[in-house]
Amino acid sequence: MNNYQTFLSTMVAAATICISTSVFADSLAYEDYTEIPLSLKKEEGTLIFSDCPEYADTTGILYEGTVEKGEGRLYYYHVNETGAPARLVVYAKADKKQPLTMKRAIRGDASSSYIPTGSTLSFREAIDAKQEEKTFRLAPGERTILFEDDPKGISEEDLVSGIVEIETKHPVKLGAAILPMDDDKSLQKALDTAVPLPPDSHEMRGTFAADIYLSCEPWDFSKGNAEITIGSSYPFQQGKDEVSGVNRENTGDYGICYHITVKTKGSGNYKLYINPMGGVYMGTFEIGQNEKLLRTYRTDGTVGKAWFGDGTMESCLPAGTWHAGKDLYIRFIPAGAAYLPLRFLLVAGD
């Protein structure tokens, strides 16, 4: 383990311990807050969002989209309803011979209750930022497997979810497929002959921006406490379903990374709290005033609550004490099987 990994592990452990031993500040949800509007600063990268058909009842191509150039992320979220164990792979395809760099690949724990899958993926996405990159040589027109969720197979009725991030200098198709439980040779043959599956009623798939950068006007705490809301005040991302040829909305912005800069005025300290407004939210956030060394906060490390936000909108989770007048950075990908909207509460005082 290198020095960076050691530091990161220490920070994660410290933040997790801090949260898991804290008490929910229930009354804070009912205080008066002024909502701070967020504005879009920039968008980067390409998200290939594969969540449709969410309940895959037959094998085939789940979704496939195009990364024209630069960095791309494929986010998959599917339940195996094929009636038998299956395998899920992420693949790439290009029109000509070219290299492709896979920057990282992570997966959540498969589960028939869904929430643990989204929770474990969210945590690993935050702490496993750096992986050894892999280079693939794509052959013209061929589907090359980059990553498999679990070579041992996916049990029937289990949800699987994961993220694969790539970098390319030329256009490439990036896709996910659910395939029969066969040996590797048969798996590749099944992928070669797989056909696209039609969307189901969820209609949650498409090609979107991968990273969005949001900011606000500086908040002056002399005006009172403030809140930032994700999932209601800022619109969900719009994109294109390249398989069906229609426009789609990513309702929940799953797979999209939020980079939020919170600006404040004045001196002294303020506290940040995370408040679920839509229901269960089991996920991980990176927060800090040093953009390169963010602390990790988990809503699934709490005591006395099985699931954060389950049956209550009052729960508020402490997420650090910060200095007014200095930018605060919040980074997260909305956790799968979790619900928005979500509030960040800025409360003046030590």
Side-chain angles (χ1 to χ4, degrees), residues 47-69:
L47 169 69
I48 309 302
F49 178 41
S50 182
D51 182 17
C52 174
E54 183 171 312
Y55 297 90
D57 58 7
T58 188
T59 57
I61 302 300
L62 296 159
Y63 182 66
E64 180 182 282
T66 308
V67 179
E68 294 289 349
K69 185 180 180 181

Side-chain angles (χ1 to χ4, degrees), residues 114-123 276 279-285 298-302 305-310 333-339 342:
Y114 302 174
I115 290 175
T117 304
S119 173
T120 52
L121 176 62
S122 179
F123 177 62
V280 173
Y281 195 98
M282 298 283 279
T284 299
F285 302 83
R298 301 177 65 178
T299 65
D300 57 354
T302 55
K305 299 281 185 179
W307 287 337
F308 182 60
D310 185 15
I333 294 176
Y339 297 90
L342 184 80

Side-chain angles (χ1 to χ4, degrees), residues 204 253 261 342:
M204 291 283 283
D253 281 351
T261 301
L342 184 80

Side-chain angles (χ1 to χ4, degrees), residues 6-141:
T6 301
F7 175 82
L8 182 59
S9 297
T10 302
M11 294 293 286
V12 169
T16 301
I17 291 172
C18 175
I19 290 177
S20 62
T21 58
S22 64
V23 177
F24 284 89
D26 292 335
S27 61
L28 285 173
Y30 298 110
E31 299 292 333
D32 291 329
Y33 298 94
T34 300
E35 184 165 346
I36 307 175
L38 293 171
S39 58
L40 178 65
K41 296 305 178 184
K42 64 177 179 178
E43 298 179 350
E44 289 183 338
T46 303
L47 169 69
I48 309 302
F49 178 41
S50 182
D51 182 17
C52 174
E54 183 171 312
Y55 297 90
D57 58 7
T58 188
T59 57
I61 302 300
L62 296 159
Y63 182 66
E64 180 182 282
T66 308
V67 179
E68 294 289 349
K69 185 180 180 181
E71 296 187 350
R73 176 187 306 126
L74 185 140
Y75 177 98
Y76 64 86
Y77 183 99
H78 297 281
V79 179
N80 175 21
E81 287 203 343
T82 63
R87 299 172 73 173
L88 186 143
V89 300
V90 175
Y91 66 87
K93 183 177 70 173
D95 292 335
K96 60 182 181 180
K97 183 179 180 180
Q98 66 183 64
L100 175 75
T101 300
M102 185 173 75
K103 300 179 73 68
R104 67 170 178 164
I106 50 178
R107 58 182 289 273
D109 293 340
S111 172
S112 59
S113 62
Y114 302 174
I115 290 175
T117 304
S119 173
T120 52
L121 176 62
S122 179
F123 177 62
R124 291 166 188 162
E125 191 281 327
I127 68 166
D128 201 6
K130 296 292 184 180
Q131 291 184 358
E132 183 178 350
E133 297 181 354
K134 296 182 180 179
T135 300
F136 293 83
R137 301 290 175 181
L138 305 183

